[in-house]
């Protein structure tokens, strides 16, 4: 498979103290792949998205390479070649009708109509403001912007927290629908089961470092192909393994 996105030796740090939050992150995402980045809350997952889109807090900076089809990822690519599906529906502009917000990504009326129908959204949603939408509709609009755009790389940051089981399933299916031969998706999540459901590969983030990148089938059966203790602990914590994490040490042996 051909690499679409390559992240090489990326470190994110505080400008003044130089303290690293993310350390030497390297990750390759191929065309047509869905890759999940999993880790505990506060492990720095969302910082990776902020670095990719050049929207880090002003107190932070980064070093390393981030490439899209061998070209350096620039902030000018945001919304065009790369699209972020943010965590919160508050990312929608409360003072702008949905139609205007969608048209920031495409003016192709037929394309917009087709994708809205695919997401079970009626045309009248275009004339509404965000506060007039249900939570599920607002989340689907965020995904719609990614589908409607011509972006080849989509990052979905924590797309499932707070959703009931039905809404969660629908969200994962929407994200899965993004997958195509010339696109790739990075899903940033602490919902390990969601990662298992739709990802091709799972990258495990622990204490600011990617400690393992494995095909999701490595989490089947006994998990014998897993290497790092933290990854093994994630496998043991799965419901089918009876949440067996007692006595597990995450330190590298």
């Amino acid at each position: 498979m051909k690499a679409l996105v390559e992240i090489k030796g990326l470190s994110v740090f505080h400008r003044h103290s130089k303290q690293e939050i993310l350390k030497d992150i390297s990750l390759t995402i191929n065309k047509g792949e869905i890759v999940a980045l999993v880790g505990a809350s506060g492990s720095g997952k969302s910082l990776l998205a902020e670095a990719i889109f050049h929207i880090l807090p002003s107190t932070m900076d980064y070093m390393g390479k981030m490439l899209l089809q061998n070209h350096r990822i620039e902030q000018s690519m945001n919304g065009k070649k790369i699209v972020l599906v943010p965590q919160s529906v508050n990312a929608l502009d409360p003072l702008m009708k949905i139609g205007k917000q969608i048209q920031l990504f495409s003016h192709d009326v037929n394309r917009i109509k087709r994708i809205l129908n695919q997401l079970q959204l009626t045309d009248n949603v275009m004339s509404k403001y965000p506060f007039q939408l249900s939570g599920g509709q607002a989340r689907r609009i965020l995904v719609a912007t990614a589908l409607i755009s011509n972006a080849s790389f989509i990052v979905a940051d924590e797309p499932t927290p707070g959703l009931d089981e039905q809404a969660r399933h629908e969200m994962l299916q929407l994200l899965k629908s993004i997958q195509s031969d010339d696109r790739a998706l990075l899903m940033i999540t602490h919902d390990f089961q969601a990662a298992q459901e739709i990802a091709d590969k799972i990258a495990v983030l622990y204490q600011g470092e990617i400690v393992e990148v494995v095909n999701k089938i490595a989490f089947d059966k006994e998990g014998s192909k897993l290497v790092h203790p933290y990854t093994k602990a994630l496998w043991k914590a799965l419901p089918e393994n009876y949440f067996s994490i007692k006595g597990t040490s995450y330190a590298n042996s």
Side-chain angles (χ1 to χ4, degrees):
M1 296 179 77
K2 190 172 182 181
L4 179 71
V5 174
E6 294 176 275
I7 299 171
K8 301 178 179 181
L10 176 71
S11 294
V12 175
F13 54 90
H14 290 284
R15 286 181 184 272
H16 301 298
S17 68
K18 304 301 180 185
Q19 179 185 357
E20 289 183 311
I21 310 300
L22 294 178
K23 308 166 190 175
D24 196 24
I25 300 292
S26 293
L27 184 65
T28 298
I29 304 173
N30 296 316
K31 287 185 176 182
E33 272 190 336
I34 295 178
V35 175
L37 178 69
V38 303
S41 296
S43 60
K45 301 185 302 299
S46 293
L47 273 181
L48 178 58
E50 291 173 2
I52 291 170
F53 286 86
H54 296 275
I55 53 174
L56 283 168
S58 60
T59 56
M60 294 187 178
D61 206 346
Y62 77 91
M63 292 178 61
K65 292 183 179 179
M66 297 181 290
L67 306 174
L68 177 71
Q69 294 181 313
N70 293 319
H71 296 284
R72 184 174 180 270
I73 294 176
E74 306 280 358
Q75 192 171 22
S76 59
M77 295 179 178
N78 292 1
K80 299 170 186 174
K81 295 185 177 181
I82 59 175
V83 167
L84 176 65
V85 180
Q87 290 187 38
S88 174
V89 296
N90 292 332
L92 294 170
D93 188 334
L95 302 178
M96 186 185 293
K97 290 183 177 180
I98 295 301
K100 294 267 188 189
Q101 299 192 51
I102 286 177
Q103 287 164 2
L104 294 173
F105 296 87
S106 174
H107 289 280
D108 187 331
V109 175
N110 291 329
R111 179 182 177 86
I112 292 171
K113 189 173 291 189
R114 183 178 72 252
I115 288 171
L116 289 179
N117 289 337
Q118 179 185 343
L119 299 181
Q120 298 177 359
L121 293 166
T122 57
D123 292 348
N124 66 5
V125 77
M126 298 283 281
S127 62
K128 293 184 177 180
Y129 288 96
F131 75 88
Q132 295 174 304
L133 304 178
S134 69
Q137 287 175 322
R139 286 185 179 276
R140 277 180 276 168
I141 289 296
L142 290 175
V143 176
T145 59
L147 287 168
I148 287 166
S149 76
N150 292 316
S152 56
F153 182 48
I154 294 97
V155 178
D157 187 9
E158 296 285 10
T160 58
L163 300 180
D164 62 34
E165 192 58 35
Q166 179 63 29
R168 177 184 172 280
H169 174 75
E170 289 176 0
M171 173 57 71
L172 292 177
Q173 293 310 304
L174 292 176
L175 293 174
K176 184 72 174 174
S177 73
I178 290 173
Q179 192 170 26
S180 68
D181 290 341
D182 58 352
R183 282 183 155 188
L185 169 69
L186 174 64
M187 181 173 72
I188 296 172
T189 183
H190 66 265
D191 184 344
F192 187 69
Q193 286 181 291
Q196 279 197 302
E197 284 182 46
I198 70 166
D200 301 300
K201 293 190 304 194
I202 297 175
V204 181
L205 186 70
Y206 177 61
Q207 293 186 342
E209 299 180 67
I210 291 181
V211 296
E212 197 158 357
V213 181
V214 295
N215 190 298
K216 73 172 180 182
I217 63 172
F219 288 92
D220 291 348
K221 299 180 180 178
E222 293 81 23
S224 58
K225 295 182 179 179
L226 304 176
V227 176
H228 195 274
Y230 182 67
T231 313
K232 291 179 180 179
L234 288 175
W235 177 81
K236 289 180 180 179
L238 295 175
E240 57 266 34
N241 296 325
Y242 307 104
F243 303 102
S244 174
I245 59 173
K246 185 177 179 181
T248 301
S249 171
Y250 299 155
N252 234 328
S253 55

